[in-house]
Amino acid sequence: MTDDAPLLSVRGVTKWYGRRLGCRDVGFDLYPGEVIAIVGESGSGKSTLLRLLTRQADIDAGTVSYRMRDGSLRDLSALTDAERAVLRRTDWGFVHQDASFGLRMSVSAGGNIGERLMSAGARHYGDIRAEAARWLARVEIDQARIDDTPDTFSGGMRQRLQIACSLVTGPRLIFMDEPTGGLDVSVQARILDLLRGLVVDLGLSALIVTHDLGVARLLSHRIMVMKAGEVIESGLTDRVLDDPREPYTQLLVSSILPA
Amino acid sequence: MKPVLEISGVSKSFTMHLQGGVSLPVMADVTFDVRAGECVAIVGPSGAGKSSVLKMIYGSYGCDSGRIVVTHGGEITDLVQAPPRQILALRRETIGYVSQFLRAVPRVPALDVVAEPLVALGAAREEARDRAAAMLTRLNVPQRLFGLPPATFSGGEQQRVNIARGLLPDYALLLLDEPTASLDAKNRAVVVDLINARKRGGAAIIAIVHDEDVRDAIADRIVDAAHFSAAA
Ligand SMILES: Nc1ncnc2c1ncn2[C@@H]1O[C@H](COP(=O)(O)OP(=O)(O)OP(=O)(O)O)[C@@H](O)[C@H]1O
Ligand SMILES: [Mg+2]
């Protein structure tokens, strides 16, 4: 986290859906190795923001700039579709709450990982299979399941497979939307441990959307609190959680059950 | 030489929005400094704001006004103004904090809880674990606990894990919140030795200590929280 140039630089991002506000005037810098959690209750605009940042939807105002591997900071709007596709296939990883957004459910686990590798340019079948097996082990999925399809997997295994798929290309930035939502607490815990270890070991930057402040405390360096489409409070994770300023943040924090 | 820590005119209140916006003043005009190789003990009644001062220095609490200036390695930082990244860098390299209650990451074994700050400073994991094990052994934490997460440990065991974690790296500034409160006499003596060794090594130390014997053994000066407590 010593790198001085931001990896992702966001300014004044605003989005309207007709007359309904998606998000307004969101701005922040994400630095290499840094994890930011975006918290807030459902409907506060967290997932919208993630879709805007990754350009799955167009923004009405503002800019999103990304530091390319050559060191140049590029406005995502100025990239060609092909350039953006390359970012999505290699430099960015995605972990969705619903695994069927991130995985092809009727393609084998090894095939899911392999497809991502091939879309990033890998061609040699033996290498791809070996790499897939290595990543399954890394996310603690039994390698004997390499030819099974994710629709035969448990919820926790599907999330592990998504994590493997997104990391296999050596991305620099991971976007996660409720990565442990809907899982049993014990399964959640193991996935969070896995993510925490991987993020630190690989020096990844991450944006993680969650309504679970415990997840934010565990994984993030900084928190942005969203309410009704706007970031109403942000700062160091423990500062926001231990000394919250805004009424809404105090309400969120007071609603956590003591561990 | 400039003090490692200079606190001036710091005040703090909490606004409790869920309780009708009532404002709870905690402290006003906190001013003191701590030099390298010196231990300042903070005393004062429960609720006076002792722990809050340490949390403000560590950045876990914000300040309403004032300056908290840390000088280390030629760098001068006002923690009240510093952006999160800078505070995190100071926590990694300069400031160690032994909190009143251990808040370890769940499921991480005690040995790694202690080794982690060394790894963050660039030590190889195995070497960091060896040093962590030696430190825990010195604090009489039984080896059978090293591989277990501290959540189920006794109060005194957790406290020693916490102390090991905070005192193992060579931080220039140490914040100790009642580090010996749950320890028996034998372990208290070990902790006093460790703190005095860090003083000789040039660390600036702030300690909240109720135990007078411990205070006499480590403190060079006393700051009475009653003087800056807004409740006084
Ligand atoms: N996050 C917080 N939100 C609201 N009030 C707080 C918060 N943290 C501390 N306080 C209040 O600030 C005052 C000072 O608390 P603090 O923990 O600093 O006292 P202390 O001197 O360390 O006491 P003790 O000796 O009991 O540990 C108390 O009235 C406490 O209730
Ligand atoms: Mg206290």
Side-chain angles (χ1 to χ4, degrees):
Chain A
M1 246 190 317
T2 43
D3 304 47
D4 278 336
L7 184 63
L8 186 74
S9 191
V10 179
R11 295 289 176 273
V13 165
T14 300
K15 172 75 174 177
W16 292 90
Y17 292 100
R19 295 176 60 187
R20 196 170 58 78
L21 180 67
C23 66
R24 191 203 318 259
D25 199 21
V26 175
F28 64 91
D29 288 325
L30 176 72
Y31 287 84
E34 191 175 42
V35 179
I36 297 185
I38 305 168
V39 307
E41 61 197 16
S42 12
S44 57
K46 311 185 296 288
S47 301
T48 300
L49 178 60
L50 218 54
R51 277 198 299 277
L52 297 176
L53 298 179
T54 56
R55 284 314 166 86
Q56 289 156 281
D58 284 327
I59 56 181
D60 295 332
T63 56
V64 180
S65 309
Y66 184 70
R67 178 99 28 209
M68 309 297 276
R69 285 192 187 252
D70 66 8
S72 64
L73 188 68
R74 301 279 302 276
D75 182 342
L76 290 185
S77 304
L79 296 184
T80 63
D81 286 344
E83 285 174 312
R84 279 201 293 266
V86 170
L87 283 183
R88 270 199 295 271
R89 284 200 302 260
T90 61
D91 226 29
W92 296 350
F94 299 87
V95 181
H96 305 272
Q97 175 173 1
D98 184 342
S100 65
F101 290 152
L103 299 174
R104 294 223 285 154
M105 301 306 274
S106 53
V107 169
S108 72
N112 267 286
I113 300 178
E115 278 185 1
R116 167 108 169 154
L117 272 174
M118 287 194 300
S119 74
R123 286 291 169 267
H124 185 279
Y125 176 79
D127 291 349
I128 291 173
R129 190 164 169 92
E131 188 69 1
R134 203 174 67 77
W135 270 97
L136 285 180
R138 184 124 193 214
V139 299
E140 296 161 29
I141 294 177
D142 184 352
Q143 296 192 27
R145 305 292 302 266
I146 191 166
D147 294 317
D148 295 344
T149 57
D151 50 17
T152 68
F153 284 5
S154 70
M157 285 168 72
R158 290 177 188 175
Q159 293 314 76
R160 290 169 186 282
L161 182 57
Q162 270 201 86
I163 293 167
C165 285
S166 51
L167 295 184
V168 67
T169 58
R172 292 186 296 156
L173 174 56
I174 307 292
F175 296 93
M176 300 187 243
D177 195 347
E178 305 282 6
T180 58
L183 298 175
D184 288 342
V185 179
S186 62
V187 177
Q188 261 190 36
R190 286 189 53 207
I191 299 225
L192 291 173
D193 290 347
L194 175 72
L195 280 174
R196 203 177 75 90
L198 288 169
V199 165
V200 174
D201 291 348
L202 304 174
L204 297 171
S205 302
L207 274 176
I208 170 165
V209 160
T210 178
H211 65 271
D212 184 335
L213 297 186
V215 170
R217 166 127 28 214
L218 194 67
L219 293 180
S220 72
H221 301 106
R222 277 197 287 150
I223 285 185
M224 299 197 298
V225 182
M226 287 196 76
K227 183 192 177 199
E230 294 182 75
V231 174
I232 54 148
E233 182 162 6
S234 66
L236 210 55
T237 293
D238 54 314
R239 168 95 55 104
V240 171
L241 296 180
D242 295 341
D243 187 9
R245 300 302 171 100
E246 292 295 319
Y248 179 70
T249 315
Q250 292 188 355
L251 182 65
L252 287 180
V253 170
S254 72
S255 319
I256 326 176
L257 298 172
Chain B
M1 213 167 76
K2 204 168 148 48
V4 177
L5 178 73
E6 296 168 281
I7 305 183
S8 53
V10 163
S11 60
K12 172 75 182 162
S13 58
F14 292 101
T15 304
M16 322 280 270
H17 291 287
L18 306 181
Q19 277 73 41
V22 55
S23 173
L24 185 74
V26 178
M27 63 198 76
D29 199 20
V30 183
T31 300
F32 67 94
D33 52 41
V34 191
R35 298 181 168 274
E38 179 184 49
C39 175
V40 170
I42 306 187
V43 302
S46 179
K50 305 180 296 296
S51 296
S52 299
V53 171
L54 297 197
K55 288 177 189 169
M56 287 155 79
I57 299 168
Y58 202 59
S60 304
Y61 285 0
C63 302
D64 301 344
S65 64
R67 283 157 53 84
I68 299 179
V69 176
V70 173
T71 304
H72 176 55
E75 294 225 25
I76 301 179
T77 314
D78 180 0
L79 282 161
V80 175
Q81 306 293 338
R85 260 161 51 81
Q86 212 173 344
I87 296 178
L88 290 174
L90 279 169
R91 287 181 184 180
R92 196 169 52 241
E93 288 152 18
T94 308
I95 311 178
Y97 173 41
V98 177
S99 56
Q100 201 167 357
F101 309 100
L102 176 67
R103 184 153 67 191
V105 174
R107 301 174 298 279
V108 175
L111 193 63
D112 286 331
V113 169
V114 177
E116 220 165 53
L118 290 178
V119 174
L121 280 164
R125 193 166 288 278
E126 278 321 302
E127 182 213 327
R129 284 201 176 124
D130 289 347
R131 289 180 59 194
M135 186 62 139
L136 286 169
T137 302
R138 173 131 194 236
L139 285 157
N140 301 302
V141 175
Q143 194 155 2
R144 64 185 158 77
L145 297 182
F146 289 7
L148 304 177
T152 56
F153 291 8
S154 77
E157 287 163 351
Q158 290 195 10
Q159 184 153 49
R160 282 175 281 152
V161 170
N162 214 2
I163 290 168
R165 177 183 164 93
L167 292 191
L168 191 49
D170 275 324
Y171 296 120
L173 177 59
L174 281 173
L175 313 173
L176 312 176
D177 196 342
E178 308 202 20
T180 58
S182 354
L183 302 186
D184 56 30
K186 176 176 153 205
N187 284 308
R188 256 198 320 269
V190 175
V191 173
V192 165
D193 282 347
L194 286 170
I195 293 173
N196 282 328
R198 297 306 317 282
K199 269 174 64 177
R200 285 194 299 278
I205 301 176
I206 308 184
I208 300 171
V209 265
H210 289 299
D211 184 304
E212 282 183 36
D213 295 337
V214 173
R215 200 189 300 154
D216 290 344
I218 63 172
D220 302 288
R221 271 192 301 132
I222 301 226
V223 167
D224 188 346
H227 290 151
F228 54 69
S229 175

